[in-house]
Amino acid sequence: MNSITEEILTSTLIKRAEDSYKGTYGKVLVIGGNEDMGGAAILTASAAVYSGAGLVTVATAKANHVSLHARLPEAMVVDSTDLKKVTEQVEKTDVIVIGPGLGLSQEALDVLTTVFSSVSQEQHVVIDGSAISLMAEHDLPYPKTQVIYTPHVGEWKKMTGLSQAEQEGEANAIQQKKIGGTIVLKSNRTKVYFNDAAWKNTAGNPAMATGGMGDTLAGMIAGFVAQFDDKEKAILAAVFLHSKIGDTLAEKQYVVLPSQIIEEIPYTMKHYSQK
Amino acid sequence: MNSITEEILTSTLIKRAEDSYKGTYGKVLVIGGNEDMGGAAILTASAAVYSGAGLVTVATAKANHVSLHARLPEAMVVDSTDLKKVTEQVEKTDVIVIGPGLGLSQEALDVLTTVFSSVSQEQHVVIDGSAISLMAEHDLPYPKTQVIYTPHVGEWKKMTGLSQAEQEGEANAIQQKKIGGTIVLKSNRTKVYFNDAAWKNTAGNPAMATGGMGDTLAGMIAGFVAQFDDKEKAILAAVFLHSKIGDTLAEKQYVVLPSQIIEEIPYTMKHYSQK
Amino acid sequence: MNSITEEILTSTLIKRAEDSYKGTYGKVLVIGGNEDMGGAAILTASAAVYSGAGLVTVATAKANHVSLHARLPEAMVVDSTDLKKVTEQVEKTDVIVIGPGLGLSQEALDVLTTVFSSVSQEQHVVIDGSAISLMAEHDLPYPKTQVIYTPHVGEWKKMTGLSQAEQEGEANAIQQKKIGGTIVLKSNRTKVYFNDAAWKNTAGNPAMATGGMGDTLAGMIAGFVAQFDDKEKAILAAVFLHSKIGDTLAEKQYVVLPSQIIEEIPYTMKHYSQK
Amino acid sequence: MNSITEEILTSTLIKRAEDSYKGTYGKVLVIGGNEDMGGAAILTASAAVYSGAGLVTVATAKANHVSLHARLPEAMVVDSTDLKKVTEQVEKTDVIVIGPGLGLSQEALDVLTTVFSSVSQEQHVVIDGSAISLMAEHDLPYPKTQVIYTPHVGEWKKMTGLSQAEQEGEANAIQQKKIGGTIVLKSNRTKVYFNDAAWKNTAGNPAMATGGMGDTLAGMIAGFVAQFDDKEKAILAAVFLHSKIGDTLAEKQYVVLPSQIIEEIPYTMKHYSQK
């Protein structure tokens, strides 16, 4: 198993071309946030914007539109129950994150199946949180696109049947081959499984053990995949950056909040881009 | 009477286990905030998140959902008038705070009695503000659970009949035995009464004499009780930390706002965890 | 004409008593903010809280409740069109500010006349912005209470008929005697007229010439009158502090925003309390 | 082609007159922000306030009023679908920005044609984003007022038919003469075309390639045109300042957010005003 270290981040963060514009850095669509869990979608979208995605749109419950804009005027918003609008957005997008705070209702299932039937093979879809649970619960087929799953231990169990004790390197790799796509298995030392390689994070700490951290990581992965050409390195770099910022903040904080991670992204990216 | 000093804080703030996750640090449910006093619930929830609770949910009036998310995307939210949902949340929770900004309406009474009939003996309930007044006014029986009451002088009078002048160490201790649970009697030198011991805070200052300070303390107590095993030390540590941050900020501020206290929590916790 | 200098601020900012609590520092009720001008009420309330008022409530249009809480969870809120609730709040309050962003509608007039008929002689009322215009337009009698008017040049003309050129020291003093109360005549060198003395500010600068500055001053005056015993000195001290913070910020900023003034209040108060 | 350098900024940022007041620095009306793109109007209005406009009002969808106030209490707000109110605001205003996040709906077209039929020759109108697209799509006549167009490459093509490759200095200048007004053609090196001169920016960098940057520039241009007498220099100075702040922030950030640019405006203006 390979180690995810700062080398992946420094080699990913290349200098931006002088004549680039926002379109160069990709469009991200975040789908999530029901009436009770809107904060998750806000964190994911914020992480995508601060990670450098060119343009970010959020499909979320109407109840969350005002709080999203109050925190992040840089994002656009559509009603996630308006499936026609969601489909239009899907078609215009490079990277989709679906799941943060989406919930397990019929409405959530509807938007998930709508997205799965709309995405094309060129698009990248990060499947997180509720979307993983919905897929397992309703036995949905894997969507025909570039998929990145971001389960935590419990969600990986739902996806594979593997108990926590069984979630070892080889067993996980076998499951990845069955499922396809990329598996970002979140834990205190997050592991990433591609078709042909497995990686283990070297950063991260228990001050980050708080609600919203996973939503934030999903947004960072989306932002990186949207703007960098080597998608595998983009995923690994986002995983490392998320934990590395957490480590730096934990030097001065007993607990680290997701929104604090997000604010540091542009500064830490600059730091590693100059190494 | 024992003195609450920094020693309690340093011995409570142990190093977090490397392989811990958000579930390790407990679930907190904040119940409060009617249409006019939503800010109280926001402050309590924010204090719980910044104190290191693993996961925080707020049951509050619908009118407050957007402002909560705009300030604290890390929290989840449910409608406090939806008693079925509140009961479901109570069952999933380790620590409940009920009362901040809850008000004295019939709706407030309904949610209070619903919670009292749902909690189990293993759960911890912080009873604050309006919830104390409602209990006194309606002569509600003490709930069958681990209770922490956080009255100020006027609310302690409602609970016990003791005038301010009568609220002396011995009289208070006798009342604690009658009521059971823990009494956090808030004042410029907050006192804490357990079954077998009484403690007096050594920190705090009049720059903190402003609306919302009590709501903030309630959230910090909940966050500490959720994550630390020794519940008595957790309560004392939260009381000291709240006042100590206030003392530090008051060196540069004539008045100290609750939201300013909250932002300092992670840094001051780190400071004392390294002593 | 006397000069308002830092001496007034240093002698007003006495050390707070150790055993004081939020009730010691007074209750402020801000009445203002219609559907289009809610920001004014937010600024006034924030200024009152950051100035050290013990407890602040805002009566404003429902449309503004969420934005108020999102910025200032320390305040409580009631619907300004619910005249029964407003009257109840008036009765519980020490200092009222009426006018910021209130507008000139029939609804605004209704709340103004309701307040005027509810206030008692012991209460202090700051009459600002739209409330001054409404009084002039509808020829309302001066309310029977301790009044502080905070007109700018145009509003002072409406109150007195004096053109800008005629707004000289003597003519203004004569008008103050006719009207009663205190006149805070806002300009680049604000003047304050009491029954027996006139004062002129020595601080202030054109970087402060931006919308919301007057609303902020009204809130600071209310916060100071609520907590300090010498009401005349409290008013003068608030006027000086507002401009002095503006002067300090203008050393590094070409323009100074009201919300930036507000954040500095606790620090600058501390500074002068130690002189 | 002339170069836009810091000299334009230093000569524009004159010392404000001591006896000036908010009216001296002009009224700006921002018209934009439909239900899905409210953030754009928030950024434009914030940029105008932080640039020093005396008074800023926003006409936007009702859905955006709360988020605007939560971020910017200094602004006033009206409903952009209330055309009577919008017309009243247009009449009271010095500078109008129309377009950021306005969208392409019939409602958007209605407010655009209403504004075009209300403006007078003395007023300045910044036409941005959706408003440019609407004009091209519906072949609207150029409004009879002082117009500043702020197209990006794609919008300039809609206005002129020129492909990106054809958008050269001479061809652009010919188009400007046909259209009239000022053209601010946004790119990594923004060009400005007046009747008698063309200018090219020397600042700007690819860290600024993110959604909302154009909305922010539109607000800065409006704020500068509102307060400075030489309108051509005001436009050039705003263009330079926007990019220059971006360059400074990019020294420490891999990406730069529009809201971060906005917060720096008062400080950077001060810096150049002292050169």
Side-chain angles (χ1 to χ4, degrees):
Chain A
M1 191 168 266
N2 306 295
S3 287
I4 310 176
T5 64
E6 72 170 48
E7 191 280 323
I8 280 145
L9 191 54
T10 53
S11 67
T12 300
L13 293 172
I14 51 171
K15 202 168 143 36
R16 291 182 156 198
E18 278 305 317
D19 63 346
S20 58
Y21 68 110
K22 65 186 173 189
T24 313
Y25 302 110
K27 290 181 184 166
V28 171
L29 174 63
V30 175
I31 304 171
N34 65 11
E35 296 216 340
D36 294 348
M37 298 188 286
I42 294 173
L43 291 170
T44 303
S46 300
V49 169
Y50 280 75
S51 298
L55 211 54
V56 176
T57 300
V58 186
T60 187
K62 274 228 154 216
N64 305 318
H65 289 204
V66 168
S67 43
L68 177 82
H69 273 149
R71 286 192 76 88
L72 189 74
E74 285 84 0
M76 291 173 297
V77 70
V78 299
D79 180 357
S80 55
T81 64
D82 183 339
L83 298 180
K84 188 161 159 282
K85 256 193 177 170
V86 172
T87 304
E88 283 167 20
Q89 289 296 328
V90 167
E91 284 163 7
K92 292 196 276 193
T93 292
D94 301 305
V95 181
I96 295 160
V97 188
I98 188 160
L102 186 65
L104 305 173
S105 67
Q106 182 61 42
E107 276 182 356
L109 184 62
D110 289 347
V111 74
L112 185 64
T113 53
T114 300
V115 169
F116 280 7
S117 67
S118 313
V119 287
S120 66
Q121 294 230 345
E122 295 73 37
Q123 290 178 307
H124 295 263
V125 181
V126 181
I127 299 182
D128 183 70
S130 312
I132 295 175
S133 297
L134 281 170
M135 284 184 72
E137 195 177 308
H138 297 276
D139 208 17
L140 299 186
Y142 304 119
K144 295 187 188 319
T145 182
Q146 315 289 323
V147 183
I148 302 150
Y149 300 92
T150 54
H152 56 51
V153 168
E155 290 161 347
W156 186 232
K157 188 179 170 188
K158 287 186 199 173
M159 287 179 74
T160 62
L162 295 175
S163 71
Q164 180 163 5
E166 294 167 338
Q167 294 180 11
E168 293 295 328
E170 195 50 33
N172 291 336
I174 290 169
Q175 291 296 327
Q176 182 278 328
K177 278 176 187 56
K178 224 159 86 180
I179 294 166
T182 302
I183 311 294
V184 178
L185 179 53
K186 294 179 292 191
S187 72
N188 65 321
R189 284 287 174 267
T190 292
K191 295 176 194 71
V192 182
Y193 297 91
F194 299 115
N195 274 329
D196 52 4
W199 294 75
K200 185 178 176 180
N201 198 12
T202 60
N205 69 82
M208 300 171 72
T210 186
M213 273 299 168
D215 309 316
T216 300
L217 176 60
M220 292 174 70
I221 291 173
F224 271 44
V225 169
Q227 82 190 277
F228 299 114
D229 288 338
D230 185 330
K231 305 308 180 189
E232 296 202 350
K233 283 181 70 175
I235 294 166
L236 297 171
V239 167
F240 181 79
L241 179 62
H242 178 258
S243 294
K244 186 67 191 178
I245 294 175
D247 287 352
T248 303
L249 293 181
E251 289 171 18
K252 298 199 170 161
Q253 300 181 227
Y254 190 81
V255 291
V256 172
L257 269 71
S259 44
Q260 296 170 328
I261 300 267
I262 290 165
E263 286 190 11
E264 291 302 314
I265 296 172
Y267 303 97
T268 309
M269 286 177 77
K270 182 72 180 187
H271 173 74
Y272 283 102
S273 76
Q274 292 174 320
K275 281 211 168 187
Chain B
M1 191 168 266
N2 305 295
S3 288
I4 310 176
T5 65
E6 72 170 46
E7 191 281 323
I8 280 146
L9 190 54
T10 53
S11 68
T12 300
L13 292 172
I14 51 172
K15 202 168 143 36
R16 290 183 157 198
E18 278 305 317
D19 63 346
S20 57
Y21 68 110
K22 65 185 173 189
T24 314
Y25 302 110
K27 289 181 185 168
V28 171
L29 175 62
V30 175
I31 304 171
N34 65 11
E35 296 216 340
D36 294 349
M37 297 188 287
I42 294 172
L43 290 170
T44 303
S46 300
V49 169
Y50 280 75
S51 297
L55 212 54
V56 176
T57 300
V58 187
T60 187
K62 275 228 154 216
N64 304 318
H65 290 205
V66 168
S67 44
L68 178 81
H69 272 149
R71 287 192 75 87
L72 189 73
E74 284 83 0
M76 290 174 297
V77 70
V78 298
D79 180 356
S80 55
T81 64
D82 183 339
L83 297 181
K84 188 160 160 283
K85 255 193 177 169
V86 172
T87 304
E88 283 168 19
Q89 289 296 329
V90 166
E91 284 162 8
K92 293 197 276 194
T93 292
D94 302 303
V95 181
I96 295 159
V97 188
I98 188 161
L102 186 64
L104 304 174
S105 67
Q106 182 61 41
E107 276 183 356
L109 183 62
D110 289 347
V111 73
L112 184 65
T113 54
T114 300
V115 169
F116 279 8
S117 68
S118 313
V119 287
S120 67
Q121 293 230 345
E122 293 72 38
Q123 290 178 307
H124 295 263
V125 182
V126 181
I127 299 182
D128 182 70
S130 312
I132 295 175
S133 298
L134 281 170
M135 286 183 72
E137 195 177 309
H138 297 276
D139 208 17
L140 299 186
Y142 304 120
K144 294 186 188 316
T145 182
Q146 315 289 323
V147 183
I148 302 149
Y149 301 92
T150 53
H152 55 52
V153 168
E155 289 160 348
W156 186 232
K157 187 179 170 189
K158 288 187 197 173
M159 288 178 75
T160 62
L162 295 174
S163 71
Q164 181 164 2
E166 294 168 338
Q167 294 180 11
E168 292 295 329
E170 194 51 33
N172 291 337
I174 290 169
Q175 291 295 329
Q176 180 279 328
K177 278 177 188 56
K178 226 159 86 180
I179 294 165
T182 302
I183 311 294
V184 178
L185 179 53
K186 295 179 292 193
S187 72
N188 64 320
R189 283 288 174 266
T190 291
K191 295 177 194 70
V192 181
Y193 296 91
F194 299 116
N195 274 328
D196 52 4
W199 294 75
K200 185 179 176 181
N201 198 11
T202 59
N205 69 81
M208 300 171 73
T210 185
M213 273 298 167
D215 309 315
T216 301
L217 176 59
M220 292 174 70
I221 291 173
F224 271 44
V225 168
Q227 83 191 276
F228 299 114
D229 288 337
D230 185 330
K231 305 309 180 188
E232 296 202 350
K233 283 182 69 175
I235 295 165
L236 296 171
V239 166
F240 181 79
L241 179 62
H242 178 259
S243 294
K244 186 66 191 179
I245 294 174
D247 287 350
T248 303
L249 293 181
E251 289 171 17
K252 298 200 171 161
Q253 301 180 227
Y254 190 81
V255 292
V256 172
L257 268 70
S259 44
Q260 295 171 329
I261 300 266
I262 290 166
E263 286 189 11
E264 291 302 315
I265 295 172
Y267 303 97
T268 308
M269 286 178 77
K270 183 71 180 187
H271 174 73
Y272 282 103
S273 77
Q274 292 174 320
K275 280 213 168 185
Chain C
M1 190 168 267
N2 305 295
S3 287
I4 309 177
T5 66
E6 72 170 46
E7 191 281 323
I8 279 146
L9 190 54
T10 54
S11 67
T12 300
L13 291 172
I14 51 172
K15 203 169 142 37
R16 290 182 157 199
E18 277 306 316
D19 64 346
S20 58
Y21 68 110
K22 65 185 172 190
T24 313
Y25 302 110
K27 290 180 184 165
V28 171
L29 175 63
V30 175
I31 304 170
N34 65 11
E35 296 216 339
D36 294 348
M37 297 188 287
I42 293 173
L43 290 170
T44 303
S46 300
V49 169
Y50 280 76
S51 298
L55 212 54
V56 176
T57 300
V58 186
T60 187
K62 275 228 153 217
N64 304 318
H65 289 204
V66 169
S67 43
L68 177 81
H69 272 149
R71 287 191 75 88
L72 188 73
E74 285 83 0
M76 292 174 296
V77 69
V78 299
D79 180 356
S80 55
T81 64
D82 183 339
L83 297 181
K84 189 161 157 284
K85 257 194 176 170
V86 172
T87 304
E88 283 168 20
Q89 289 296 329
V90 167
E91 283 162 8
K92 294 197 275 192
T93 292
D94 301 304
V95 181
I96 295 160
V97 188
I98 189 160
L102 187 64
L104 304 174
S105 68
Q106 181 62 41
E107 276 182 358
L109 183 63
D110 288 347
V111 73
L112 184 64
T113 53
T114 299
V115 170
F116 280 7
S117 66
S118 312
V119 288
S120 66
Q121 294 231 342
E122 292 74 37
Q123 290 178 307
H124 295 262
V125 182
V126 180
I127 299 182
D128 183 70
S130 312
I132 295 174
S133 297
L134 281 170
M135 286 183 71
E137 195 177 310
H138 298 275
D139 208 16
L140 299 186
Y142 304 120
K144 294 186 188 317
T145 182
Q146 315 289 323
V147 184
I148 302 149
Y149 300 92
T150 55
H152 56 52
V153 168
E155 290 161 348
W156 186 231
K157 187 179 170 189
K158 287 188 199 172
M159 287 179 74
T160 62
L162 295 175
S163 71
Q164 182 164 1
E166 294 167 337
Q167 293 180 11
E168 293 295 327
E170 194 51 32
N172 292 336
I174 290 169
Q175 291 294 329
Q176 181 279 328
K177 277 177 188 57
K178 224 158 86 181
I179 294 165
T182 301
I183 312 295
V184 178
L185 178 53
K186 295 179 292 193
S187 71
N188 64 322
R189 284 287 175 266
T190 292
K191 294 176 195 72
V192 182
Y193 296 90
F194 298 116
N195 274 329
D196 52 4
W199 294 76
K200 185 178 176 180
N201 198 11
T202 59
N205 69 82
M208 301 171 72
T210 186
M213 273 299 167
D215 309 316
T216 300
L217 176 60
M220 292 174 70
I221 291 173
F224 270 44
V225 168
Q227 82 191 279
F228 298 114
D229 288 338
D230 184 331
K231 304 310 179 187
E232 296 202 349
K233 283 181 70 175
I235 295 165
L236 297 171
V239 166
F240 181 79
L241 179 61
H242 178 258
S243 294
K244 185 68 191 177
I245 294 175
D247 287 351
T248 303
L249 293 181
E251 289 171 16
K252 298 198 172 163
Q253 302 180 227
Y254 190 82
V255 292
V256 172
L257 269 70
S259 44
Q260 296 171 328
I261 300 266
I262 290 166
E263 285 189 12
E264 291 302 314
I265 296 172
Y267 303 97
T268 309
M269 286 177 78
K270 184 70 180 187
H271 174 74
Y272 283 102
S273 76
Q274 292 174 321
K275 281 213 168 184
Chain D
M1 193 169 266
N2 306 295
S3 288
I4 310 176
T5 65
E6 71 170 47
E7 191 280 323
I8 279 145
L9 191 54
T10 52
S11 68
T12 300
L13 292 172
I14 50 171
K15 203 167 144 34
R16 289 182 157 198
E18 278 305 317
D19 63 346
S20 58
Y21 68 109
K22 65 185 172 189
T24 314
Y25 302 109
K27 290 181 185 166
V28 171
L29 175 64
V30 176
I31 304 171
N34 66 11
E35 296 216 339
D36 294 349
M37 298 187 287
I42 293 173
L43 290 169
T44 303
S46 300
V49 169
Y50 280 74
S51 298
L55 211 55
V56 176
T57 300
V58 186
T60 187
K62 274 229 154 216
N64 304 318
H65 290 204
V66 168
S67 43
L68 177 81
H69 272 149
R71 287 192 74 88
L72 189 73
E74 285 83 0
M76 292 174 295
V77 69
V78 299
D79 180 357
S80 55
T81 64
D82 183 339
L83 297 181
K84 188 161 159 283
K85 255 193 177 169
V86 171
T87 305
E88 283 168 19
Q89 289 296 329
V90 166
E91 285 162 7
K92 292 196 277 194
T93 292
D94 301 305
V95 181
I96 295 160
V97 188
I98 188 160
L102 185 66
L104 304 174
S105 68
Q106 181 62 41
E107 275 182 357
L109 184 61
D110 289 346
V111 74
L112 184 64
T113 52
T114 299
V115 169
F116 280 7
S117 66
S118 312
V119 287
S120 66
Q121 293 230 346
E122 293 73 38
Q123 290 178 307
H124 295 262
V125 182
V126 181
I127 298 182
D128 182 70
S130 312
I132 294 175
S133 298
L134 281 170
M135 284 184 72
E137 195 176 309
H138 297 276
D139 208 17
L140 299 186
Y142 304 119
K144 294 186 187 320
T145 181
Q146 314 289 322
V147 182
I148 302 150
Y149 300 92
T150 55
H152 56 51
V153 168
E155 289 160 349
W156 186 231
K157 187 179 170 189
K158 287 187 199 173
M159 287 179 73
T160 62
L162 295 175
S163 71
Q164 182 164 2
E166 293 167 337
Q167 294 180 12
E168 293 295 328
E170 194 50 33
N172 292 337
I174 290 169
Q175 291 294 328
Q176 182 278 328
K177 277 177 188 56
K178 225 159 87 181
I179 295 165
T182 302
I183 311 294
V184 178
L185 179 53
K186 295 180 292 192
S187 73
N188 65 322
R189 284 287 175 266
T190 292
K191 295 177 195 70
V192 182
Y193 296 91
F194 298 115
N195 275 329
D196 52 5
W199 294 75
K200 186 178 176 182
N201 198 11
T202 60
N205 69 83
M208 300 171 73
T210 187
M213 273 300 167
D215 308 316
T216 301
L217 176 59
M220 293 174 70
I221 291 173
F224 271 44
V225 169
Q227 81 191 278
F228 298 114
D229 288 337
D230 184 331
K231 304 309 179 187
E232 296 202 350
K233 283 181 70 175
I235 294 166
L236 295 171
V239 166
F240 181 79
L241 179 62
H242 178 258
S243 293
K244 185 67 191 178
I245 294 174
D247 287 351
T248 303
L249 294 181
E251 289 171 18
K252 298 198 172 163
Q253 302 180 228
Y254 190 82
V255 291
V256 172
L257 270 69
S259 44
Q260 296 170 329
I261 300 267
I262 291 166
E263 286 190 12
E264 291 302 315
I265 295 172
Y267 303 97
T268 308
M269 285 177 77
K270 183 72 181 187
H271 174 73
Y272 283 103
S273 76
Q274 291 174 321
K275 280 213 169 185

